[in-house]
Amino acid sequence: MQLIYKTCWEFGYQTHLLERITGQQQLAGGDGFTQRDMTARDNPGVGGQDPGIAQILFGLHQCSLGLIDGTDGGITLGLGTVILPAGYGALGDQGTHARQLTLSVPLLGLGGLQRCLGLIQPGTLGCVGDLNQQLSGGHHIIDVDGDLADAASGLRDIAEKQGPASVGLLASPHSTVEELWLARQLVHALGSDNIDYRLRQAECADAQGKVRWLGMPIAELTTLDRALVIGSDLREDHPLFAQRIRQAVRQGAQVCAVAQTQPDWAMPVRATLQADALDWTQALADIAAAVAAETGAQPPVVNSAGPTDAAGAIARSLLGGGHKAVLLGNAAAHHPQASSLLALAQWIATQTGARFGYLTEAANTVGAQCVGALPQAGGLNARQMVQGTLKAAVLLQVEPQWDCAAGEAALQGLQPAQTVITLSPFKTNLDISDVLLPISPFSETSGSFVNAEGRLQSFHAVVRPLGETRPGWKVLCALARMLDAPNLDFDNSQQVLARALPGVGSGQLVHAGRLDNRTDAAMVVDRASERPVCASIYQLDSLVRRAPSLQATSDGRAAASCGAVRQQEDQS
């Protein structure tokens, strides 16, 4: 028997299940999974905390890949049609019984991963070869156990000669809590404050220590009476949330939207204020004016034109019902006027008795904020770091052309750096990297995420690291110690977690005082200077980008044809 965690896409519905599977799974050519009927059974206890089973319990609420088979020493990742029992809370859906897998799609196996160490057998060095093996552009991959000191020495030398502000670290929000906290310690050891996970955000405003989150328990999305969704392609950006909201609609809830295009969410939408993303602040100001007209309140901003019919319909919907939410999606979070959108959403929510928050983009968006993986004292943000300002850059599971709002320009902005160090499970960034440190993907390391509702969820490795790969937290810890960061003598990731989030155990919520969406930002309704940039569903992280089955879908093909990142297009 084997515990696995899978994700499915079934006509736009995505659900999850932790399940035990019996029987031998078959690999197809090393690149995929030939699926046969399998029945899930023997669900573990609430929270998945069965200490006798190798777990892989993610704090993900949306697009995720899970372990299907590790019996050959590698991993097979992919899709399946599955659900969670209701007791799983943040991850679960309302079913209490597993059901048979129903999709027959090729799944991602080791052959599709293009791992840093090549397509090799475990325990061999493969294409890494000698420490000084030269790759394209004169860069090389180093043995993690061999010469980390060279990487640390290069960072220290640049920090001393060029100044600490010349060194920066870009981190993927899909990195674990432990990795992000250690990344912060590494940057601090160099005297720098240049660290950021907000790779696609245009504004990167100072949240003053507040952690932006969903603003409510995930399970309560199912019980909403009214919801206003702002700047989200809900069905693709947040499919699990969409499924919960869809359940609420089936029970009579009304959902409204502010969007660039007419929503296609596989559910009725009560009213849509369709507007160019450049004008979203004005769209929310119109809704605020309509709410004020209905309640007699003073509108927060002057609206000489008066509210539109769509704004009025949304206002009337929000003023009805009892359990309500105003939810900001990826495009709203990445918007150049994100602070104004949040301020307007806050005003609308306050006046209508709703809660408000962010749907969040990645597996660990909330966790990254909790451990301070962003500038704290005037450091450069992600947008600034890829504009040619850095002399030394560390890329933690980041592929700039795919992960940064600037796309290819971000890659060019890192070219002038004297030293670029990439930490990745994949052979990537060869055009800009001086050193490529192979680190484990999620299946080969323990770690933790904090999901959108602020719940910490930890998991264990389920297969041994491939070749000379090392868990990311160990590599970051070793680098930070070489840079004289104090008190980093950790034997396991649980010790790192205890330092990163003291007093918070797996399955528990982070301290409520840290989760805060409130803002005192000004409400600016001038037209934005640019449209927000979002990743399409199968370009979101380095794993799904390398899944042949996902790239073969219509969404995958569309993303490939329009480039690495998705900008809200002008629909006017």
Side-chain angles (χ1 to χ4, degrees), residues 213-536:
W213 66 301
L214 183 60
M216 59 189 298
I218 293 174
E220 292 187 12
L221 290 172
T222 310
T223 65
L224 288 174
D225 298 315
R226 301 288 189 272
L228 171 60
V229 179
I230 303 163
S232 172
D233 187 349
L234 190 62
R235 191 176 179 185
E236 294 203 354
D237 292 346
H238 307 99
L240 282 180
F241 289 163
Q243 171 65 1
R244 286 191 173 274
I245 294 172
R246 192 175 293 116
Q247 293 176 33
V249 171
R250 288 172 180 162
Q251 301 301 317
Q254 295 179 8
V255 176
C256 299
V258 173
Q260 179 124 329
T261 59
Q262 188 67 30
D264 179 16
W265 296 344
M267 70 180 86
V269 177
R270 180 74 171 190
T272 300
L273 203 170
Q274 189 172 337
D276 192 316
L278 297 174
D279 300 316
W280 280 353
T281 51
Q282 184 60 61
L284 288 194
D286 289 347
I287 296 172
V291 170
E294 293 284 339
T295 62
Q298 182 68 28
V301 293
V302 176
N303 186 354
S304 57
T308 62
D309 291 342
I314 292 172
R316 288 188 293 274
S317 176
L318 283 175
L319 287 167
H323 189 195
K324 318 171 208 184
V326 177
L327 303 169
L328 296 136
N330 293 351
H334 300 168
H335 200 277
Q337 296 172 320
S339 294
S340 294
L341 290 175
L342 177 60
L344 285 160
Q346 175 181 258
W347 190 93
I348 293 168
T350 301
Q351 295 298 316
T352 59
R355 285 182 281 187
F356 66 102
Y358 287 96
L359 293 169
T360 72
E361 178 189 32
N364 208 22
T365 298
V366 175
Q369 298 172 78
C370 288
V371 298
L374 67 169
Q376 305 286 309
L380 298 177
N381 60 45
R383 189 180 179 97
Q384 294 166 330
M385 280 190 271
V386 297
Q387 293 177 343
T389 57
L390 296 181
K391 300 300 181 184
V394 180
L395 305 179
L396 176 56
Q397 302 191 67
V398 170
E399 297 171 307
Q401 72 273 33
W402 300 98
D403 293 319
C404 295
E408 290 292 338
L411 201 64
Q412 297 302 316
L414 292 170
Q415 289 282 3
Q418 298 174 23
T419 296
V420 176
I421 300 171
T422 293
L423 288 78
S424 175
F426 307 109
K427 190 181 295 182
T428 187
N429 296 343
L430 299 185
D431 291 341
I432 59 172
S433 295
D434 298 282
V435 175
L436 178 55
L437 298 175
I439 63 172
S440 302
F442 68 84
S443 56
E444 299 170 14
T445 183
S446 56
S448 306
F449 299 114
V450 179
N451 71 3
E453 70 175 5
R455 189 175 302 277
L456 179 71
Q457 294 175 307
S458 298
F459 56 90
H460 302 307
V462 292
V463 290
R464 293 182 180 278
L466 178 65
E468 300 301 315
T469 303
R470 295 292 182 269
W473 73 265
K474 286 188 176 182
V475 176
L476 288 164
C477 191
L479 273 175
R481 283 201 303 265
M482 291 175 184
L483 294 169
D484 302 323
N487 304 318
L488 295 183
D489 296 323
F490 301 117
D491 295 323
N492 53 61
S493 65
Q494 289 75 25
Q495 294 175 348
V496 181
L497 177 62
R499 285 279 301 280
L501 293 175
V504 183
S506 182
Q508 297 179 342
L509 295 170
V510 299
H511 301 301
R514 304 197 63 185
L515 304 173
D516 192 349
N517 290 321
R518 292 174 297 176
T519 181
D520 57 3
M523 302 180 196
V524 178
V525 296
D526 295 338
R527 204 162 204 247
S529 58
E530 59 185 295
R531 295 182 179 87
V533 173
C534 300
S536 62

Side-chain angles (χ1 to χ4, degrees), residues 121-145:
Q121 294 298 316
T124 65
L125 198 57
C127 71
V128 171
D130 183 73
L131 171 64
N132 295 317
Q133 177 190 9
Q134 295 298 305
L135 299 176
S136 61
H139 311 308
H140 64 275
I141 302 174
I142 73 170
D143 181 354
V144 176
D145 286 335

Side-chain angles (χ1 to χ4, degrees), residues 7-78:
T7 299
C8 77
W9 301 95
E10 181 186 18
F11 305 110
Y13 293 74
Q14 184 199 51
T15 49
H16 289 68
L17 172 67
L18 283 163
E19 60 185 9
R20 298 175 195 248
I21 298 285
T22 58
Q24 187 77 25
Q25 282 111 31
Q26 304 296 320
L27 292 176
D31 284 326
F33 184 150
T34 303
Q35 186 172 327
R36 57 186 177 81
D37 286 343
M38 298 177 291
T39 302
R41 59 188 178 184
D42 299 331
N43 290 321
V46 172
Q49 300 303 309
D50 184 344
I53 302 172
Q55 305 165 21
I56 189 150
L57 174 58
F58 299 114
L60 309 186
H61 51 260
Q62 51 196 63
C63 179
S64 318
L65 288 172
L67 179 68
I68 292 180
D69 189 20
T71 56
D72 65 344
I75 58 174
T76 302
L77 303 174

